[in-house]
Amino acid sequence: MGEIREWSGDFDPFEDPEEKRVLFAAVDSFHQYAPLTHRQTHARRQAYYALPSSHRLLLSRPEISYLAILDRLDEAIDRNAEIADAILQAGLVAFGLPTAEQLIAYSSVSSTSTDQENKGERRKKKHPLDWRDHANPTDIQKAQTTIRQLWRDWSGEGRAERDACYDPVLADLEAEFPISPSSPTPSNPTHSHIPRHDVSLLIPGCGLARLCLETTLRGFRTEGNEISYHMLLASSYMLNHTTKAAQHVLHPWVGGSESNLLSREDQLQRVVVPDVCPTMALREAVERGVNVGEMSMTASDFMTLYEGSSSPSDASSHPDPLNPAIPPPPSHPPSPTQPSSQTFNAVITIFFIDTTPNFLTYLATIHRLLKSGGIWINLGPLLWHFDGGSGVGERSYSRRRRYHDEDENHGDDGDGGENDEEEEDRDKSNTKERRRWDPHPSIPLTDEEVMHLVRAYGFSVEKHEVLDDHPLNNRDGGDGGGGGKDRGMMGYLQNPASMLQSRYRCSHWVARKVG
């Protein structure tokens, strides 16, 4: 018990040239984190020296000492770069890639042409697995956001923000699957009596995998799924390669926007990560007699891996409960490790269901994956990432998390935006990268419409609440208990000291698969 498997399945990113390119871009972005992030302070110095001398004199006053501030920012970037390099080195080993030093040595070995015309000409050789020079500005921004997101998922200072998301979900899980299983009841005939180590969870879009660790420590068998190589590389490092708590110093608000800052000390905040070492936490739990679970990770697009076969036999055994006439989503040959129907006792989606252009594809897939009586726990807003009409969806898609593809506005830190043209370029890149296979148009839905479809598809909604600061936040719709308890609005990678605070009124619900 307590095992963390780094990768599962027969995943091989080198089989597909485009997948290989995306992986190399992610790896290279951590390699280039330091020099490209330092460009920001370099640009600030250039701007400073371009000012009139009277202005430079004012900025040099002891109360400001602008050049000294830039030096401190450079030092903070170097500390963050140590984390980026640790992620890089672990990723190179995980994927069997050569180090930068090995690539330099390889390319320095010159070959001499035997052709008489070119005799003596020396040419550099390029290694077939040379991952360098693949990252574009979008990839660098993803690496910067991934480093920043360590604050949310793996620091003590980020605990309040992550607990606001994770605690309601963990409470739902523990209520459904108590440590001491009870006998089956009419209201819950199939699950409350299951020992936790037999409970199988799926967490799509698991990001940096902190929730996966928390469920594993509570005894659940947890499978995390993530598409972003930036997130996969960073989560693998935190889970499998950190050796102690507080191993790294992190300055989460350095290397991003410098707007809406109250003070430089806020920008230069210093935290340590991880707040707990995963391997040590699991070992100590076992030593205390806790029956911890197992954890595994799948590296793939959620729909590509989990949607299943749409062959006639599969369609007849698992008909569309909403409308058999609705055409199925694009079919893909199932991989040898593709999960079968009714695999999981629970599926947890946090800040996830708005990452698809067509929610019905997620709905059908999760319904198929759940065992009869299994539960779907959801928490998050509806910032539809492919809602091109609003100009927000795809843009935030590149910014938020887990997407990492990023973080930023499912969660930006609220410190201001970047150039619109840069964001649009990033949006186009992310849209192509993340849903190359999905030709469906975007169908943004309201929370009420989502809940109607969930019920219509064969789920019983047992809890539904909107988490905000207002007393009238219970939206359970008469399907059962739940709601009623005030919880605050949520940020996502929100700098608590920022002058601009962005918060979400998240929809939190528990739905049970009927039949």
Side-chain angles (χ1 to χ4, degrees):
M1 287 297 184
E3 175 189 5
I4 302 178
R5 286 173 284 163
E6 193 157 2
W7 312 104
S8 63
D10 57 354
F11 171 68
D12 184 359
F14 303 123
E15 291 182 351
D16 176 31
E18 176 62 12
E19 198 73 17
K20 178 180 175 181
R21 183 200 65 78
V22 174
L23 170 61
F24 284 5
V27 170
D28 186 38
S29 68
F30 288 108
H31 178 62
Q32 296 193 54
Y33 174 89
L36 293 187
T37 306
H38 278 302
R39 285 185 181 179
Q40 186 177 38
T41 52
H42 178 66
R44 298 289 186 267
R45 287 188 179 89
Q46 288 181 315
Y48 171 85
Y49 285 114
L51 294 173
S53 59
S54 60
H55 294 184
R56 294 199 303 270
L57 185 63
L58 287 170
L59 289 173
S60 299
R61 292 173 64 89
E63 296 85 355
I64 299 177
S65 299
Y66 190 68
L67 289 178
I69 287 294
L70 295 180
D71 290 340
R72 293 181 63 193
L73 289 172
D74 278 331
E75 292 173 2
I77 291 170
D78 287 338
R79 298 292 77 72
N80 290 355
E82 292 173 4
I83 303 176
D85 186 66
I87 293 171
L88 167 67
Q89 299 306 323
L92 295 179
V93 173
F95 285 100
L97 296 173
T99 66
E101 292 75 16
Q102 289 171 330
L103 291 172
I104 292 171
Y106 183 91
S107 62
S108 66
V109 177
S110 302
S111 61
T112 302
S113 173
T114 57
D115 186 275
Q116 185 66 32
E117 180 180 353
N118 299 314
K119 188 175 182 179
E121 180 181 337
R122 302 171 68 83
R123 298 174 300 166
K124 289 186 176 180
K125 299 170 62 179
K126 186 175 180 63
H127 195 286
L129 294 179
D130 192 341
W131 45 265
R132 296 172 300 171
D133 301 324
H134 280 76
N136 59 31
T138 297
D139 299 309
I140 303 300
Q141 290 164 350
K142 292 177 184 179
Q144 292 169 336
T145 301
T146 300
I147 297 297
R148 188 178 306 124
Q149 187 154 334
L150 293 172
W151 169 86
R152 172 183 167 91
D153 278 334
W154 292 101
S155 80
E157 289 79 359
R159 179 173 180 174
E161 186 178 282
R162 69 173 176 268
D163 281 358
C165 284
Y166 299 164
D167 281 357
V169 170
L170 292 171
D172 294 333
L173 271 179
E174 292 177 327
E176 176 73 10
F177 307 104
I179 294 178
S180 300
S182 60
S183 300
T185 64
S187 62
N188 185 12
T190 59
H191 285 77
S192 63
H193 64 289
I194 300 177
R196 281 194 182 176
H197 62 268
D198 289 333
V199 175
S200 179
L201 309 180
L202 173 64
I203 306 179
C206 64
L208 293 182
R210 181 57 182 263
L211 182 60
C212 294
L213 174 65
E214 297 298 335
T215 55
T216 303
L217 286 170
R218 287 162 173 78
F220 298 103
R221 190 168 69 251
T222 303
E223 181 172 316
N225 165 250
E226 179 56 56
I227 184 176
S228 166
Y229 282 118
H230 290 83
M231 289 288 174
L232 288 164
L233 291 167
S235 64
S236 175
Y237 174 71
M238 299 305 290
L239 291 171
N240 298 287
H241 300 283
T242 53
T243 57
K244 62 181 180 180
Q247 186 166 332
H248 295 284
V249 171
L250 169 69
H251 296 270
W253 316 120
V254 169
S257 171
E258 294 189 73
S259 300
N260 291 308
L261 295 171
L262 283 172
S263 74
R264 290 296 177 184
E265 294 309 313
D266 291 337
Q267 182 186 21
L268 288 161
Q269 180 189 21
R270 178 187 184 276
V271 303
V272 294
V273 294
D275 58 326
V276 297
C277 174
T279 54
M280 291 181 62
L282 289 167
R283 185 181 305 115
E284 291 169 359
V286 171
E287 292 172 352
R288 295 194 307 268
V290 177
N291 191 14
V292 301
E294 294 182 356
M295 184 196 312
S296 61
M297 295 285 290
T298 59
S300 177
D301 176 271
F302 173 66
M303 289 300 299
T304 300
L305 179 61
Y306 293 96
E307 78 169 330
S309 171
S310 58
S311 65
S313 60
D314 185 74
S316 61
S317 59
H318 304 287
D320 185 340
L322 195 60
N323 185 349
I326 294 179
S331 61
H332 306 277
S335 69
T337 58
Q338 194 169 55
S340 60
S341 299
Q342 303 191 42
T343 300
F344 300 98
N345 299 100
V347 173
I348 300 171
T349 52
I350 295 183
F351 280 66
F352 179 75
I353 66 172
D354 54 2
T355 63
T356 175
N358 182 2
F359 171 70
L360 288 169
T361 60
Y362 279 5
L363 177 59
T365 298
I366 291 174
H367 184 274
R368 183 184 68 82
L369 290 172
L370 278 172
K371 296 179 180 180
S372 177
I375 60 171
W376 178 3
I377 305 173
N378 177 76
L379 188 150
L382 294 176
L383 186 62
W384 298 104
H385 292 178
F386 291 84
D387 180 16
S390 68
V392 174
E394 293 177 352
R395 182 167 304 165
S396 66
Y397 190 58
S398 65
R399 314 186 76 193
R400 178 192 81 164
R401 128 213 125 79
R402 290 159 339 155
Y403 305 70
H404 193 17
D405 266 92
E406 221 68 42
D407 137 66
E408 306 186 38
N409 236 338
H410 263 227
D412 198 300
D413 56 11
D415 287 345
E418 42 210 293
N419 181 277
D420 285 343
E421 292 182 0
E422 292 179 358
E423 290 192 60
E424 290 175 4
D425 289 343
R426 189 165 74 251
D427 297 341
K428 294 176 183 177
S429 173
N430 287 325
T431 301
K432 181 178 179 181
E433 173 183 339
R434 309 275 301 192
R435 283 292 183 273
R436 294 186 295 271
W437 56 267
D438 197 334
H440 289 298
S442 174
I443 308 292
L445 301 169
T446 68
D447 188 55
E448 289 181 346
E449 291 165 344
V450 166
M451 299 317 301
H452 170 76
L453 292 171
V454 169
R455 295 184 186 100
Y457 217 97
F459 288 93
S460 171
V461 179
E462 300 186 351
K463 173 191 290 187
H464 182 204
E465 58 183 347
V466 175
L467 306 182
D468 58 21
D469 299 317
H470 305 289
L472 301 178
N473 64 355
N474 187 349
R475 303 281 293 277
D476 72 78
D479 284 301
K485 180 179 179 182
D486 274 351
R487 297 192 182 98
M489 297 172 70
M490 299 181 188
Y492 200 104
L493 266 188
Q494 174 68 65
N495 182 352
S498 171
M499 298 170 70
L500 176 62
Q501 297 290 316
S502 300
R503 295 286 186 268
Y504 293 97
R505 299 178 65 200
C506 290
S507 182
H508 170 219
W509 41 267
V510 178
R512 188 179 303 278
K513 180 178 177 179
V514 178

